[in-house]
Amino acid sequence: VRCAVPILFTLVVIILNPDITLSQDNNMLLSSRAEQLVQTALRDQKGYFWLKELCAIGPRLSGSQNSLQAIAWAEKTMRHSGWDRVWLQQVMVPNWKRGLREQAMISRSSFFLKKQLAIAALGGSVGTSAAGICASVIEVKSLAEIDSLKEKAKGKIIFLNRSFDRSKFNPNDSYGGAVDQRTRGAARAGRVGAVAVLVRSVTSKYDNAPHTGVMYYEENGTRIPAATVGQIDADFLSSALLQEPNLELTLRLSCKINPDTISYNVIGEIAGSEFPEEIIVVGGHFDSWDLGCGAHDDGGGCIQAMEVLDLFRRLAIKPKRTIRCVLFMDEEQHQTGAERYIAWCDSAGQKHLAAMESDRGVLTPRGFNVDADSLVLIKIQSWQKILEPTGIDWIRAGGSGADVGKIKGAKALLGYVPDSQRYYDFHHSANDVFEAVHPRELELGTAAMAMLVFLLSEEGL
Amino acid sequence: VRCAVPILFTLVVIILNPDITLSQDNNMLLSSRAEQLVQTALRDQKGYFWLKELCAIGPRLSGSQNSLQAIAWAEKTMRHSGWDRVWLQQVMVPNWKRGLREQAMISRSSFFLKKQLAIAALGGSVGTSAAGICASVIEVKSLAEIDSLKEKAKGKIIFLNRSFDRSKFNPNDSYGGAVDQRTRGAARAGRVGAVAVLVRSVTSKYDNAPHTGVMYYEENGTRIPAATVGQIDADFLSSALLQEPNLELTLRLSCKINPDTISYNVIGEIAGSEFPEEIIVVGGHFDSWDLGCGAHDDGGGCIQAMEVLDLFRRLAIKPKRTIRCVLFMDEEQHQTGAERYIAWCDSAGQKHLAAMESDRGVLTPRGFNVDADSLVLIKIQSWQKILEPTGIDWIRAGGSGADVGKIKGAKALLGYVPDSQRYYDFHHSANDVFEAVHPRELELGTAAMAMLVFLLSEEGL
């Protein structure tokens, strides 16, 4: 009967805090509101068509021309939706650019000569000379193994080939268990005198699409070029090295780190009718990687945030509190957009009740993560039943997201959590296109987010 | 505080029934068992490769040559997996066959002459003469509308064009709200003298794939040919009829109802070590429609059932109760396979503890439906936490499935419930192929089913 203890505790909390429960009548009203949001989102599929327009612009790498076009599109679309206020917030962002030259070829070998590997430069990498870097290759499985190479690494290309562990239930854990190779591999290999790194793509799908993503050099560390290689070619290279350990690879990258450039967060809001100074942020990040078009990561999340406010307008819902949609620039590299937004809020005395992020793909809804104190968590959890018609099966303590997680003053930071099983198939690769998004999955997520935003706006925290 | 009542009730039930809760130590053992099942299923992906083999045989329409090949494959695969007993159970099944001639063409029109519509005969339909049926078309939205046509229907092709209501949260409800057109349209149109029916495909995806499925004539009723038309062409036909109400369509179908033929349920089991006479069935239906290859419906479900037993073997789990895998033939038309199985069980005095079915696609896990009395339901619900690592977020009262639902003597009938948002995109169409199955979604479902079967086997009911 040990399980009786948490139930008793919950019971005591509920009885002692009548405020945190809702009356049955109110519950029925709220449930019909949830159903209305689901029906409207699924019927109109407005966000899905918005996402199609957005993806037609192309990928939205921070600092790129496309990203500015997309910003203009978002501003225009928000204005057209008829909110109370829409504005751009200027922010300096990194301006790394992939080059046209991007090649890894086996250039010395008895068996595999001229074999091309499917690669993509990692975000933030320096390029090579036009002639490229020609070197033999050492395969490793960890950063520690790089350290232990010492002298042997000198002049070599280090090939980081630890797998995405597909046996884990949560692909986020598998990703977390492999991604250090991508983010830190070049810095660590640079320390021991390697000339470049190739990193096995961090993805759950066994195909040959390179999955890019950010990498970081150490301050004052040696900066060596870094690229990722598709899983099929990573396996090819690994077995080729077994057969012929001295084969040489030529790596050519014309990517370039340009000076930081001007970009914008896109912000729009519907003012609260009773407590306009209590702000509820709903957002995602508007930049993407430059392969695919960032449909799941995070175009879809931004569209969901925009459609939350659009649903309020379509259904003539007047929120008691201010609902603000924030599309953050530059989440993928340095989160300068989120930092800029926070700095402005602090200086302008903006007060957040809650902030919600959608940045885990736009797959079928599962739950919400809540980063808040226990009483706030219990209050939000008491709404779970009302959210069920939108596909939300649980509300748990957990992290919100890279951007809204920085809004420390809010009473609750919320992360929308869709099913994650397919997410890394698309993530940071040419697989992340509009066609990979299912309209029902996108729209149900929108309805779930809209309903939780509505509850926050009506009930407060 | 109204919500306190169900919590109190649960509490009282739990306190009064110490048997139905598990000790914390046992819970930890069981949780690590669940994790082991998840890891093994996701790592090996054995079921996924089985499904590839199965789909390579082709679709498994009841009575078809392919279905017999698939039966032989399943028997061989079960034997190879090393269970205690594998056998085929003979059953007579319907033997409807699609013909090579399957055409709907606009044959009289000022604007749309010779336009071909994407169609497929419905399962069980009679064919037309080689020359086909040429007639004008009346569009309706319901069976009642057919009845009200009376004399006007004579000699006409009735076009049933009510939409799949995409605004509902649960696509099963949308399907249920449209499928009477497919199952009963021809019978009702035959009553009022129509010569054929065309039915809008019942699917959640807006494309032009015809989605077939069973249709039933009335005993001694007029039997007229019935075909389904892809959604895009259904919309085309509807607007063409607005422009030109007198256009004529020629329908040619060479499908044929052949006499019932011999087929088999495929059955295999691992005998229980303590209570071998208490049987736990896990199964799906092995027949499919003849478009696509029945990967989701229900090849994947059958593979999951087979892999449950294979996982027990791979992990050297000796179940206390007998675990029996049943692949039922002919669910799609007359459920003769399930009836044959039950009849045999009754005559042989077989006693079922529980029976579980997977026939809702092999998408990401959500929960289990339980058809049982309240105390059994509460006992199974008390295992939910243990099942969570397999992706199971809830256990609810609900229907099991068309086949195991017939095993009335079991203490619990269970339906595995994966996420349903994408299911009808594939259902009964050429979209239902191996490539539409995600290995992680399939394998997590297998692990969830295996864990619940394990709990039933260890704990009883």
Side-chain angles (χ1 to χ4, degrees):
Chain A
V1 298
R2 279 198 186 84
C3 67
V5 175
I7 293 174
L8 262 179
F9 175 76
T10 307
L11 201 61
V12 167
V13 168
I14 289 168
I15 289 167
L16 297 182
N17 295 276
D19 277 1
I20 72 164
T21 62
L22 303 162
S23 79
Q24 195 154 335
D25 287 355
N26 197 19
N27 267 346
M28 280 180 60
L29 270 175
L30 289 169
S31 289
S32 67
R33 176 65 83 191
E35 273 161 31
Q36 183 193 36
L37 286 166
V38 167
Q39 282 165 17
T40 308
L42 286 176
R43 186 190 61 222
D44 299 350
Q45 298 191 351
K46 188 166 175 182
Y48 185 63
F49 292 107
W50 275 354
L51 184 62
K52 190 175 182 179
E53 289 181 12
L54 177 62
C55 288
I57 296 170
R60 299 173 303 282
L61 188 65
S62 280
S64 67
Q65 197 53 43
N66 279 352
S67 71
L68 295 175
Q69 259 183 271
I71 286 165
W73 174 88
E75 186 191 8
K76 189 193 71 187
T77 304
M78 287 182 188
R79 288 198 192 284
H80 192 77
S81 176
W83 308 350
D84 295 319
R85 211 177 146 218
V86 174
W87 72 101
L88 300 185
Q89 184 172 60
Q90 193 176 309
V91 55
M92 294 303 287
V93 297
N95 190 17
W96 176 83
K97 275 196 172 23
R98 186 177 307 283
L100 286 174
R101 199 171 54 243
E102 198 160 68
Q103 188 187 37
M105 190 180 70
I106 295 181
S107 50
R108 193 178 148 193
S109 162
S110 308
F111 305 108
F112 310 108
L113 201 63
K114 296 201 174 170
K115 162 75 180 177
Q116 303 267 352
L117 306 179
I119 65 152
L122 293 180
S125 173
V126 296
T128 69
S129 67
I133 288 168
C134 178
S136 58
V137 179
I138 300 178
E139 177 178 339
V140 299
K141 294 289 169 72
S142 69
L143 300 183
E145 212 179 320
I146 296 178
D147 299 344
S148 69
L149 286 175
K150 293 179 191 160
E151 288 296 305
K152 277 186 263 174
K154 273 230 164 79
K156 298 295 199 300
I157 295 173
I158 304 296
F159 169 38
L160 293 115
N161 194 31
R162 184 162 86 261
S163 291
F164 186 97
D165 180 358
R166 72 181 187 191
S167 76
K168 289 182 192 296
F169 168 73
N170 189 335
N172 297 314
D173 296 339
S174 316
Y175 181 76
V179 76
D180 64 329
Q181 302 174 99
R182 191 195 77 207
T183 53
R184 304 288 169 189
R188 294 286 271 272
R191 278 195 209 164
V192 288
V195 290
V197 294
L198 264 187
V199 183
R200 182 188 185 87
S201 281
V202 184
T203 168
S204 47
K205 191 176 181 188
Y206 191 68
D207 67 7
N208 213 16
H211 292 240
T212 190
V214 73
M215 51 81 59
Y216 299 109
Y217 294 120
E218 283 163 350
E219 229 180 307
N220 307 319
T222 313
R223 300 180 161 219
I224 63 172
T228 182
V229 55
Q231 290 203 11
I232 290 172
D233 279 351
D235 283 343
F236 162 79
L237 181 58
S238 182
S239 50
L241 285 168
L242 280 179
Q243 193 176 339
E244 195 178 5
N246 297 318
L247 66 78
E248 285 180 13
L249 211 61
T250 296
L251 181 70
R252 290 194 182 96
L253 300 174
S254 59
C255 52
K256 206 178 154 199
I257 305 167
N258 301 293
D260 287 1
T261 185
I262 292 174
S263 189
Y264 306 89
N265 296 326
V266 189
I267 310 180
E269 66 184 27
I270 298 175
S273 59
E274 290 188 27
F275 312 103
E277 74 291 354
E278 292 188 29
I279 296 158
I280 300 164
V281 161
V282 54
H285 68 84
F286 207 42
D287 63 314
S288 76
W289 285 105
D290 57 332
L291 311 172
C293 62
H296 279 283
D297 185 15
D298 183 29
C302 290
I303 292 295
Q304 287 176 320
M306 289 169 64
E307 200 184 5
V308 166
L309 279 74
D310 191 72
L311 276 168
F312 277 51
R313 276 289 181 253
R314 251 183 282 165
L315 298 171
I317 300 170
K318 292 196 196 318
K320 288 184 184 168
R321 291 166 173 85
T322 294
I323 317 294
R324 180 182 289 169
C325 171
V326 185
L327 311 185
F328 298 95
M329 191 41 63
D330 178 33
E331 184 271 347
E332 293 290 2
Q333 299 179 61
H334 292 287
Q335 289 109 52
T336 49
E339 274 160 23
R340 175 72 184 84
Y341 174 74
I342 308 301
W344 170 74
C345 288
D346 288 349
S347 69
Q350 301 269 312
K351 191 179 135 202
H352 292 92
L353 180 82
M356 179 191 300
E357 182 162 330
S358 171
D359 183 21
R360 295 162 187 251
V362 285
L363 299 148
T364 198
R366 301 294 310 216
F368 282 103
N369 277 353
V370 180
D371 177 4
D373 70 36
S374 306
L375 273 183
V376 169
L377 173 62
I378 289 172
K379 177 162 185 173
I380 296 175
Q381 284 179 322
S382 76
W383 298 334
Q384 196 262 310
K385 205 76 196 165
I386 297 164
L387 288 161
E388 225 173 71
T390 70
I392 295 300
D393 281 340
W394 48 259
I395 296 170
R396 293 179 189 150
S400 55
D403 287 321
V404 311
K406 296 186 195 299
I407 306 179
K408 300 292 180 199
K411 283 198 184 165
L413 299 176
L414 302 150
Y416 166 60
V417 185
D419 193 81
S420 57
Q421 295 303 326
R422 293 173 284 141
Y423 181 55
Y424 291 99
D425 291 8
F426 320 120
H427 189 255
H428 294 188
S429 79
N431 298 335
D432 190 8
V433 291
F434 175 70
E435 293 72 15
V437 171
H438 195 282
R440 297 184 60 84
E441 297 191 322
L442 171 80
E443 296 292 349
L444 278 176
T446 303
M449 291 166 61
M451 190 60 205
L452 184 46
V453 165
F454 178 73
L455 283 160
L456 290 163
S457 165
E458 287 294 294
E459 308 289 332
L461 284 177
Chain B
V1 299
R2 279 199 183 83
C3 66
V5 176
I7 293 175
L8 262 179
F9 175 76
T10 307
L11 201 59
V12 167
V13 168
I14 290 169
I15 289 167
L16 296 182
N17 293 276
D19 277 0
I20 72 165
T21 61
L22 303 164
S23 79
Q24 196 155 332
D25 287 354
N26 197 18
N27 268 345
M28 281 180 58
L29 270 177
L30 291 168
S31 289
S32 68
R33 176 64 84 192
E35 272 159 34
Q36 183 193 35
L37 287 166
V38 166
Q39 282 165 17
T40 308
L42 287 176
R43 186 191 60 222
D44 299 350
Q45 300 191 352
K46 187 165 175 183
Y48 186 64
F49 292 107
W50 275 355
L51 185 61
K52 190 175 183 180
E53 289 181 12
L54 177 62
C55 289
I57 295 171
R60 301 173 301 281
L61 188 65
S62 280
S64 67
Q65 198 53 43
N66 280 352
S67 71
L68 295 176
Q69 258 183 273
I71 286 165
W73 173 88
E75 187 192 8
K76 188 193 70 187
T77 305
M78 287 182 188
R79 288 196 193 284
H80 193 76
S81 176
W83 307 350
D84 295 318
R85 210 177 146 216
V86 173
W87 71 102
L88 300 184
Q89 184 173 61
Q90 193 176 309
V91 55
M92 294 303 286
V93 298
N95 190 17
W96 177 83
K97 276 198 170 26
R98 185 178 307 282
L100 285 174
R101 197 171 57 241
E102 197 160 67
Q103 187 187 38
M105 189 180 69
I106 295 182
S107 50
R108 193 178 149 193
S109 162
S110 308
F111 306 107
F112 311 107
L113 202 63
K114 296 202 176 169
K115 161 76 181 174
Q116 302 267 353
L117 307 179
I119 66 153
L122 292 180
S125 173
V126 296
T128 69
S129 68
I133 289 167
C134 178
S136 58
V137 179
I138 300 179
E139 177 178 339
V140 299
K141 295 289 169 72
S142 69
L143 299 182
E145 213 180 320
I146 295 178
D147 298 343
S148 69
L149 286 174
K150 292 177 189 162
E151 287 297 304
K152 277 185 266 176
K154 273 232 164 77
K156 299 294 200 298
I157 295 172
I158 303 296
F159 169 37
L160 293 115
N161 194 31
R162 184 160 87 261
S163 291
F164 185 98
D165 181 358
R166 72 181 185 192
S167 76
K168 289 182 193 298
F169 168 74
N170 189 337
N172 296 314
D173 296 340
S174 315
Y175 181 76
V179 76
D180 64 329
Q181 302 175 100
R182 191 195 78 206
T183 53
R184 303 288 170 189
R188 294 287 270 273
R191 277 195 212 166
V192 288
V195 289
V197 294
L198 263 189
V199 183
R200 182 188 185 87
S201 281
V202 184
T203 168
S204 48
K205 189 176 183 188
Y206 191 68
D207 67 7
N208 214 16
H211 292 240
T212 190
V214 73
M215 51 82 60
Y216 299 109
Y217 294 120
E218 284 163 348
E219 228 180 307
N220 305 321
T222 312
R223 301 178 161 221
I224 63 173
T228 182
V229 55
Q231 289 203 11
I232 290 172
D233 279 351
D235 283 344
F236 163 81
L237 180 59
S238 183
S239 50
L241 285 168
L242 280 179
Q243 192 176 339
E244 196 177 6
N246 297 319
L247 66 77
E248 285 180 15
L249 211 61
T250 296
L251 181 70
R252 290 197 182 94
L253 299 175
S254 58
C255 52
K256 205 177 154 198
I257 305 167
N258 301 295
D260 288 0
T261 185
I262 292 174
S263 190
Y264 306 90
N265 295 326
V266 189
I267 310 179
E269 66 185 25
I270 298 174
S273 59
E274 290 188 27
F275 312 103
E277 73 291 354
E278 292 189 29
I279 296 158
I280 300 165
V281 161
V282 55
H285 68 84
F286 207 43
D287 63 314
S288 76
W289 286 104
D290 57 332
L291 311 172
C293 61
H296 279 283
D297 185 15
D298 185 24
C302 290
I303 292 294
Q304 287 177 320
M306 289 168 64
E307 201 185 4
V308 166
L309 279 74
D310 191 70
L311 276 169
F312 276 51
R313 276 289 180 253
R314 250 183 283 166
L315 297 171
I317 299 170
K318 295 199 192 316
K320 289 184 184 169
R321 291 164 174 87
T322 294
I323 316 295
R324 179 181 290 168
C325 171
V326 185
L327 311 185
F328 299 96
M329 191 41 62
D330 179 33
E331 185 271 348
E332 293 291 2
Q333 299 180 62
H334 291 286
Q335 288 109 53
T336 49
E339 275 160 22
R340 175 72 183 84
Y341 175 74
I342 308 301
W344 170 75
C345 288
D346 287 350
S347 69
Q350 302 271 310
K351 192 179 134 203
H352 291 91
L353 180 81
M356 179 190 299
E357 182 162 332
S358 171
D359 183 21
R360 296 163 186 251
V362 285
L363 298 148
T364 198
R366 302 292 312 214
F368 282 103
N369 277 353
V370 180
D371 177 3
D373 70 38
S374 307
L375 274 183
V376 169
L377 173 61
I378 288 172
K379 176 162 185 173
I380 296 175
Q381 284 178 323
S382 77
W383 298 335
Q384 196 260 310
K385 205 77 194 162
I386 296 164
L387 289 161
E388 227 174 70
T390 71
I392 295 300
D393 281 341
W394 47 260
I395 296 170
R396 293 179 188 150
S400 54
D403 288 321
V404 310
K406 296 185 196 299
I407 306 179
K408 300 293 181 199
K411 282 198 183 165
L413 299 176
L414 302 149
Y416 167 61
V417 186
D419 193 81
S420 58
Q421 295 303 325
R422 292 173 284 141
Y423 181 54
Y424 291 99
D425 291 9
F426 320 120
H427 188 255
H428 294 188
S429 78
N431 299 334
D432 190 7
V433 292
F434 175 70
E435 293 72 14
V437 171
H438 195 282
R440 295 184 62 83
E441 297 192 322
L442 171 80
E443 296 292 348
L444 278 176
T446 303
M449 291 166 61
M451 189 60 205
L452 183 46
V453 165
F454 178 73
L455 283 161
L456 290 163
S457 164
E458 287 294 293
E459 307 289 332
L461 283 175

